[in-house]
Amino acid sequence: MTAGIHDLPEKYDDLPNKRQYWPAAAGSPEEGLGMLRILTPEIVADAARTQIQTGLRVCLNWDLEQLDAPGFRRKTFEHRIKWVSPGIAFDDEYHFNPQQSSQWDGFRHHNAPAPTAQDQARRVFYGGTTAEEIQDSTSSRIGIGYWAKKGIAGRGVLIDYLSWAEKKGITVNGLSQHVVPLDDVLAIAHECNIEFQRGDIFFLRVGLTQTWNAMSATQKEEYSQQLIPKHAGLEQSENVLRFIWDNHFAAVASDAISFEVFPPLSPEFDLHHHLLAGWGLPIGEMFDLEELAQTCKQLGRWTFFISSSPLNCAKGVSSPPNYKIRDLLPGVSSIMTWKTLALVLAFINLKNLPLVWHLRILHHLLWNIRRKPGDPHFPRGTALVTHTGKPTHPVFVPYAITSRTPIMETDYNFHKSNSTYFSDLDISRTALVTRLYTPGLRIVSKELDVELREAARREGKRPPAHKNMYVALGSVFCSFKREIKPFELYEIESKVVAWDHKWMYVLSFFLRPAKAGEKRSLFATAVSKYVVKKGRLTVAPERVLRASGFLPERPEGDVPVIDSSAEGSGVGTPAGEGITATVGVDGALVREVLKISESDIPEETKLEEEKKANAESWSVGEWNWDMIEEERQRGLEVMEGYMNMDAKLHEEWER
């Protein structure tokens, strides 16, 4: 059901009688308005709200004196200026036929065949109105005055066929039987991102005014003398009728003389018969669409708010449109289609689109793991400091990334949802850990392959199958301090705070960037722990960091503490530094975040070059083993509560 007309069929194919739709009582104002009843206050208000923005105005009334040689033997326009009070005031007198220039065809203008068994030649106007009723001086049935009482206002939509045809190399003569195909209308609508709405007023630019202005006076006179002139216009077909009905236009109009091609090429689907006499749909003709087309083209959009005030003549057959484009919304209406709205939503929520998280992770993986040896993370001479500006070792240098909170990350309080902090942590930690474990992971992976094969040989066993090296996330704890608002900029700063024989502990801060004269604000803190695995073997972080060039050799006699709960792996654990084969941390129980396969390991020369570049970024004289160990132990004290809590939670689960 369409607002304003009760039980209006939604589709053309739903019409019981496709040639007649007369829902209102004979002689009623509702009958007099016809399809203009679709223009409810809600539809007009919505058109005004979405279209009126800039104050630009365009007139659609063609100069009354332009068509000075009208067709169909109509009266030529006359305008007289005369003294009403000699020497004091003038009046003017207009003598014209509204059909001679821009005009609305009213329902009294054109009838349609309506044969009966008794009268095969019967013809009636809209609603079944007869010619006798129209000529009755006491009857105003379906007169133009009904339109004048309400006016015509709503959203206009322009299909600029003439410009489209010119781009295609198609010549259009407005005074020929040039047909505007419906397929071309639909193609133009698609190219211009036009989506028709219920209650739209449809405009079609064919180019009559350009044709007329290019004609000589003789050619114009010859046209006016033709008994059956030719006019370019929209095709006549059932598909056109279906298009007009299914979109529920309130009115249609054109700069063409007849709107449709004339004489009709398909009389069965004559649009004047169906639209005026059959459905009560106003037809506008000879509107001046030149300035409108130019303005729409400049703004890159084709919808606008339009208002028309027909003559307040109760028995009128037609009327000048007195049309004005009240405003043009620059770019918004054509932009805000469903497709572009989806693109806008996707853009402002880019971070949350499918696979974007994977791409962000992949960026840091590839950037850090494939980094050239000559382009180290910590070039020589770079100040290595903590987030408070204190000197530190490369292992403890924080790494920060920035982000914002899109709408899709907010909760019902319109703040960043707690669950989304963890996906940001994934990115920040990955960026940090891959910097420190490159190229150590690949070096240790190759070393372990050799050590495991040697251990198997000593024990007389088959060499174990090659296992990939990977880094896995064991657990995360997050504490929330302040809310992060939608689209607010924030930093995630992560740093290694400590490590033991199995885990590396990473501390992360969510921070509001500092403004002039202010300190950064803390949104949240998080603690995470990582483990390095090769198959079921757990590799000590110390070994990987040393292989990356970030740790010096242990002093003689300083033996690492190994977990006494370590169990065998089926192949004797090699005597290499810092490796256990525990079952307490299985790859199935942790989140794998980085895997190094055989194909990822470059030539040994390149690995050594990367290690050397990292080692040269710090000085053993400034950071010897004891200093690094002291900082590591301090970090373990910071993590003590977290480590105890993690263990106790596991114990609680096993009770």
Side-chain angles (χ1 to χ4, degrees):
M1 172 180 174
T2 300
I5 302 180
H6 182 66
D7 290 336
L8 180 68
E10 285 294 319
K11 298 295 183 181
Y12 171 81
D13 293 327
D14 297 334
L15 285 168
N17 182 349
K18 294 177 173 53
R19 298 185 66 90
Q20 295 176 358
Y21 180 71
W22 302 339
S28 66
E30 290 77 16
E31 181 190 52
L33 288 172
M35 285 297 174
L36 291 177
R37 283 199 288 157
I38 292 177
L39 295 173
T40 62
E42 293 78 14
I43 285 179
V44 175
D46 183 69
R49 178 180 56 81
T50 58
Q51 304 300 307
I52 298 178
Q53 292 286 324
T54 67
L56 291 175
R57 296 180 299 281
V58 177
C59 177
L60 301 190
N61 298 312
W62 200 16
D63 190 327
L64 285 169
E65 297 181 274
Q66 276 295 319
L67 199 64
D68 47 7
F72 299 103
R73 308 291 177 88
R74 286 171 173 143
K75 180 178 176 61
T76 303
F77 171 80
E78 293 182 15
H79 179 220
R80 299 174 184 173
I81 299 175
K82 57 187 295 185
W83 286 105
V84 63
S85 180
I88 298 176
F90 284 114
D91 271 1
D92 55 3
E93 294 178 352
Y94 293 89
H95 300 268
F96 70 100
N97 183 334
Q99 297 281 339
Q100 175 257 337
S101 185
S102 303
Q103 40 77 30
W104 282 118
D105 281 350
F107 303 151
R108 288 183 157 210
H109 173 59
H110 213 291
N111 61 22
T116 64
Q118 296 75 25
D119 185 2
Q120 290 294 311
R122 178 174 175 263
R123 300 179 71 92
V124 294
F125 295 81
Y126 178 62
T129 307
T130 64
E132 289 73 23
E133 288 179 280
I134 291 175
Q135 292 175 310
D136 182 353
S137 61
T138 64
S139 172
S140 62
R141 185 179 179 186
I142 64 171
I144 206 82
Y146 289 109
W147 301 5
K149 297 295 185 183
K150 295 291 185 181
I152 301 173
R155 192 182 87 142
V157 180
L158 175 64
I159 296 295
D160 188 358
Y161 173 76
L162 180 62
S163 295
W164 184 86
E166 289 173 347
K167 288 191 297 183
K168 301 288 185 180
I170 301 172
T171 301
V172 181
N173 183 344
L175 295 177
S176 70
Q177 281 184 293
H178 182 101
V179 176
V180 178
L182 176 62
D183 287 345
D184 290 353
V185 170
L186 298 177
I188 295 167
H190 177 74
E191 288 183 14
C192 297
N193 294 318
I194 295 172
E195 293 189 3
F196 299 110
Q197 298 177 7
R198 184 163 295 183
D200 279 348
I201 300 167
F202 174 86
F203 288 88
L204 176 66
R205 179 175 177 241
V206 176
L208 168 72
T209 54
Q210 288 193 14
T211 299
W212 187 259
N213 292 336
M215 292 168 63
S216 66
T218 301
Q219 290 173 320
K220 293 177 180 178
E221 185 62 30
E222 289 175 352
Y223 161 77
S224 69
Q225 298 303 313
Q226 294 176 4
L227 294 178
I228 304 179
K230 295 179 180 179
H231 303 150
L234 187 60
E235 73 168 83
Q236 291 119 353
S237 69
E238 188 168 32
N239 282 336
V240 167
L241 294 173
R242 182 176 287 106
F243 164 74
I244 292 173
W245 183 275
D246 289 355
N247 282 293
H248 291 303
F249 296 134
V252 297
S254 175
D255 58 353
I257 291 181
S258 303
F259 181 71
E260 59 185 312
V261 64
F262 184 85
L265 298 179
S266 300
E268 178 185 357
F269 301 110
D270 185 297
L271 299 184
H272 278 62
H273 292 173
H274 284 79
L275 304 189
L276 289 177
W279 300 346
L281 185 77
I283 297 177
E285 296 164 341
M286 288 184 280
F287 285 20
D288 184 359
L289 302 181
E290 297 305 298
E291 185 181 356
L292 174 62
Q294 187 63 31
T295 305
C296 286
K297 193 177 300 182
Q298 290 173 353
L299 297 177
R301 48 83 52 152
W302 307 91
T303 62
F304 36 85
F305 185 81
I306 193 163
S307 65
S308 172
S309 181
L311 292 177
N312 193 1
C313 178
K315 304 167 191 173
V317 171
S318 60
S319 170
N322 301 317
Y323 238 137
K324 183 74 73 174
I325 304 296
R326 297 296 182 184
D327 208 297
L328 287 161
L329 174 62
V332 173
S333 180
S334 62
I335 289 175
M336 295 312 293
T337 63
W338 285 112
K339 291 181 180 178
T340 52
L341 180 60
L343 289 174
V344 170
L345 290 175
F347 179 77
I348 64 176
N349 290 284
L350 183 63
K351 179 179 170 183
N352 299 98
L353 293 181
L355 300 180
V356 171
W357 178 91
H358 301 79
L359 291 174
R360 295 171 70 199
I361 288 283
L362 190 62
H363 164 73
H364 292 290
L365 288 176
L366 295 179
W367 178 252
N368 291 335
I369 294 176
R370 304 291 186 185
R371 199 176 183 92
K372 296 178 181 179
D375 186 21
H377 293 294
F378 306 102
R380 185 179 299 178
T382 301
L384 303 178
V385 295
T386 65
H387 66 280
T388 59
K390 297 178 181 179
T392 190
H393 183 270
V395 172
F396 304 110
V397 171
Y399 185 80
I401 64 171
T402 59
S403 188
R404 292 184 185 271
T405 302
I407 295 297
M408 289 179 66
E409 280 195 352
T410 58
D411 57 19
Y412 53 82
N413 291 317
F414 222 48
H415 300 147
K416 180 176 173 64
S417 176
N418 293 347
S419 62
T420 64
Y421 283 74
F422 295 93
S423 60
D424 281 333
L425 285 171
D426 288 338
I427 310 301
S428 177
R429 291 186 310 245
T430 298
L432 172 73
V433 173
T434 52
R435 283 158 57 97
L436 298 177
Y437 277 175
T438 302
L441 281 176
R442 292 173 289 179
I443 291 175
V444 172
S445 181
K446 294 184 72 172
E447 291 175 349
L448 289 177
D449 285 339
V450 174
E451 293 170 11
L452 290 170
R453 285 196 298 269
E454 181 61 25
R457 186 188 62 78
R458 288 197 307 268
E459 297 178 12
K461 298 180 179 180
R462 293 179 59 186
H466 171 77
K467 300 291 185 180
N468 289 329
M469 195 89 156
Y470 64 91
V471 181
L473 177 65
S475 65
V476 185
F477 167 82
C478 193
S479 175
F480 306 102
K481 309 296 183 182
R482 291 185 178 88
E483 74 277 3
I484 300 178
K485 298 176 181 178
F487 301 110
E488 183 172 3
L489 180 68
Y490 58 91
E491 297 175 354
I492 309 106
E493 188 175 87
S494 296
K495 69 172 185 176
V496 171
V497 68
W499 61 88
D500 55 23
H501 69 283
K502 184 185 305 182
W503 300 105
M504 182 168 74
Y505 299 94
V506 176
L507 185 59
S508 300
F509 302 101
F510 287 78
L511 303 162
R512 176 183 287 132
K515 296 181 180 179
E518 298 179 3
K519 294 183 178 180
R520 294 188 294 178
S521 302
L522 182 63
F523 289 124
T525 59
V527 179
S528 313
K529 63 179 185 179
Y530 279 109
V531 65
V532 179
K533 305 283 286 183
K534 186 173 177 67
R536 294 179 61 84
L537 296 176
T538 301
V539 183
E542 178 184 323
R543 179 171 183 175
V544 182
L545 290 172
R546 181 172 292 111
S548 290
F550 289 123
L551 291 182
E553 295 295 330
R554 276 180 172 271
E556 291 186 16
D558 191 338
V559 180
V561 178
I562 304 297
D563 188 353
S564 60
S565 65
E567 299 179 10
S569 63
V571 173
T573 301
E577 170 195 79
I579 181 168
T580 61
T582 63
V583 294
V585 184
D586 197 325
L589 300 178
V590 294
R591 182 178 178 185
E592 186 177 308
V593 296
L594 172 61
K595 179 180 290 186
I596 299 295
S597 62
E598 188 72 27
S599 60
D600 293 321
I601 301 178
E603 294 295 328
E604 188 170 348
T605 303
K606 182 180 178 183
L607 294 177
E608 290 300 325
E609 288 177 359
E610 291 183 64
K611 178 178 179 179
K612 181 181 178 183
N614 287 338
E616 290 177 348
S617 65
W618 59 283
S619 171
V620 178
E622 296 177 359
W623 280 89
N624 58 33
W625 174 261
D626 291 335
M627 297 172 67
I628 296 173
E629 183 66 10
E630 181 181 352
E631 180 63 19
R632 183 183 76 88
Q633 291 293 339
R634 188 193 69 80
L636 285 175
E637 291 177 5
V638 173
M639 293 292 103
E640 183 177 3
Y642 166 69
M643 292 186 289
N644 291 337
M645 179 187 69
D646 201 26
K648 289 183 180 298
L649 289 176
H650 191 78
E651 292 173 4
E652 183 67 19
W653 173 77
E654 290 184 329
R655 287 186 60 185

